[in-house]
Amino acid sequence: MAETASPEFALDESDERSVLRLTGDWTVAHVQDVDEALREILPQFPLSIDVSGLGQLDTAGAFVLDRTLRAAGSVEDGVPDIIGDHPTARRLIAQVHAVSAPLPPPAVPDHGVYALLERTGEGFMDLLSETVETLAFLGETLVTCGRLLLQPWKLRWTSIVAVMEEAGLDALPIIAFLSFFVGMVVAYIGATTLSDFDLEIYTVELIGYSELREFGVVLTGIVLAGRTNSSFTAQIGTMKMRQEIDAMTTLGLKPMEVIVAPRVIAMVLITPVLAFVATLAGISGGIIVGWLSLDINPAVFIDRLRNSVPIDQFWVGMSKAPVFGLVCVLIACRQGLNVGGSVQSLGKATTTSVVQALFAIIALDALFAIFYMELGI
């Protein structure tokens, strides 16, 4: 085993230049012997390190030398000033310097009016860009689905049925469960409020209008936004991360036809079925409350519901269902296709998908309400 020489240094200052000449082995075992002395040197001129007489050098010695150069302010353009030849010194000191570079100071948040206006403008432009891209994706999806419907032999019926089962029928229990209890809550609130006016019997109309027109289809859309959107976005995003979509394109398959179109067709077909079941479950909850709390016989409840609530209220609710299903699946597929190569992007896309779908459902329901109000329905 070779004998280790203790590290030493000498500071030469001449011709407006300071040179730190190194000798011995600057390794972790002995570098502490010169650590304090190095901290005390105060060169008058820019400092350079002469490694011609340097023996062994490891990362501990390189760190001490890099720290000395930084303290002397002798690092120009991020490159330490090193002279002389050594097999590893120049490269090792440069590597240590790169990884130990000080972090830039954190940006100080600007809370002024100008910064507020700037953030508002950036948010508006992001919203505008997102809207344009979503509409472009909607157009591409409609063209693809229309072309496939004109050529039904190209439709992937197995994928369509599988999506209808996974995203539709499997969600049926939770949709019916939620709608049933929402119907009970609405009936209890109506009965409590109307009892002050001795008008408990009008709880039937309250349940009929609210469930047929609003709650059944809106609850269906909300459940789909939370359950199906996250599932679709995660599935497509995982395929994107694993480069399965790139491989699909290489094989001559179109992702819009293989991935997006089956999901769109399946959701447009199955969402009205889910909304219908949700409506029936909500009305059932109202019937239970009317029977137990208001002594309204179920037969009387159903007969009054049929005579007092027009059938067009049912079609108003059903007309929203395909639109809600289409919006949910469009947002889910688009966000899934936007996933990058990291897990963080997958989580962000899934969250964005659910939030956008919930917002879109509430906004569209408000637009539908205004539209039908103008039509007098």
Side-chain angles (χ1 to χ4, degrees):
M1 184 175 180
E3 184 179 355
T4 302
S6 298
E8 296 180 358
F9 67 89
L11 181 63
D12 295 339
E13 294 183 335
S14 60
D15 300 329
E16 297 185 353
R17 183 179 185 184
S18 300
V19 179
L20 187 67
R21 305 188 187 278
L22 307 178
T23 56
D25 297 327
W26 290 63
T27 59
V28 67
H30 299 284
V31 73
Q32 69 271 14
D33 297 338
V34 294
D35 183 55
E36 292 297 331
L38 278 175
R39 293 176 184 271
E40 296 176 358
I41 65 171
L42 297 173
Q44 298 180 1
F45 307 110
L47 181 65
S48 301
I49 293 181
D50 185 0
V51 296
S52 303
L54 180 64
Q56 298 181 13
L57 179 69
D58 61 8
T59 53
F63 173 78
V64 171
L65 296 174
D66 176 68
R67 186 193 63 198
T68 304
L69 286 170
R70 288 180 185 275
S74 301
V75 180
E76 298 181 359
D77 299 327
V79 180
D81 188 6
I82 302 173
I83 59 177
D85 294 328
H86 190 274
T88 60
R90 187 179 300 272
R91 183 177 68 254
L92 190 57
I93 294 175
Q95 291 176 350
V96 170
H97 175 80
V99 299
S100 60
L103 295 175
V108 179
D110 188 359
H111 301 290
V113 177
Y114 179 80
L116 175 62
L117 294 176
E118 183 179 8
R119 290 193 297 270
T120 303
E122 290 177 353
F124 176 77
M125 293 306 297
D126 291 340
L127 176 62
L128 184 62
S129 175
E130 187 76 14
T131 303
V132 171
E133 292 176 2
T134 302
L135 292 176
F137 188 77
L138 170 62
E140 185 179 3
T141 301
L142 293 179
V143 170
T144 301
C145 293
R147 185 174 63 250
L148 290 177
L149 291 175
L150 294 176
Q151 300 173 328
W153 59 89
K154 290 187 177 181
L155 286 173
R156 299 176 177 271
W157 293 105
T158 303
S159 300
I160 294 174
V161 174
V163 172
M164 291 176 67
E165 179 181 2
E166 176 189 355
L169 297 181
D170 290 349
L172 198 58
I174 187 173
I175 290 176
F177 184 82
L178 290 177
S179 185
F180 177 81
F181 283 101
V182 167
M184 292 185 67
V185 170
V186 173
Y188 270 119
I189 294 174
T192 302
T193 304
L194 294 174
S195 63
D196 296 335
F197 308 97
D198 294 328
L199 299 174
E200 296 93 335
I201 190 63
Y202 286 100
T203 304
V204 177
E205 282 79 355
L206 175 64
I207 291 295
Y209 278 96
S210 61
E211 289 294 336
L212 292 175
R213 190 181 184 104
E214 293 293 338
F215 285 127
V217 64
V218 171
L219 281 175
T220 301
I222 290 175
V223 172
L224 291 179
R227 182 183 182 275
T228 305
N229 267 60
S230 58
S231 175
F232 284 174
T233 304
Q235 290 173 1
I236 299 174
T238 303
M239 295 175 65
K240 187 77 178 296
M241 291 173 58
R242 294 177 177 175
Q243 299 182 344
E244 294 178 14
I245 295 179
D246 296 336
M248 192 180 300
T249 305
T250 303
L251 293 175
L253 301 174
K254 297 180 180 179
M256 292 296 296
E257 295 182 359
V258 177
I259 298 175
V260 178
R263 287 174 168 80
V264 170
I265 295 173
M267 291 304 298
V268 170
L269 293 177
I270 200 63
T271 306
V273 178
L274 299 177
F276 177 72
V277 174
T279 301
L280 293 182
I283 293 175
S284 300
I287 291 175
I288 296 298
V289 173
W291 189 14
L292 298 179
S293 298
L294 304 177
D295 294 328
I296 301 176
N297 187 275
V300 176
F301 191 104
I302 295 173
D303 184 67
R304 184 178 179 86
L305 180 67
R306 185 177 58 186
N307 294 328
S308 302
V309 181
I311 191 63
D312 58 2
Q313 301 302 309
F314 170 76
W315 294 115
V316 166
M318 288 298 103
S319 65
K320 303 176 186 178
V323 179
F324 288 175
L326 176 63
V327 168
C328 286
V329 70
L330 280 177
I331 293 174
C333 292
R334 179 175 174 272
Q335 293 298 329
L337 292 173
N338 286 342
V339 171
S342 64
V343 178
Q344 289 81 3
S345 65
L346 177 61
K348 181 180 179 181
T350 304
T351 303
T352 303
S353 174
V354 175
V355 172
Q356 286 186 357
L358 290 173
F359 175 82
I361 287 171
I362 301 302
L364 285 174
D365 186 63
L367 294 177
F368 270 114
I370 296 173
F371 174 73
Y372 285 122
M373 183 181 66
E374 294 296 327
L375 293 179
I377 300 177

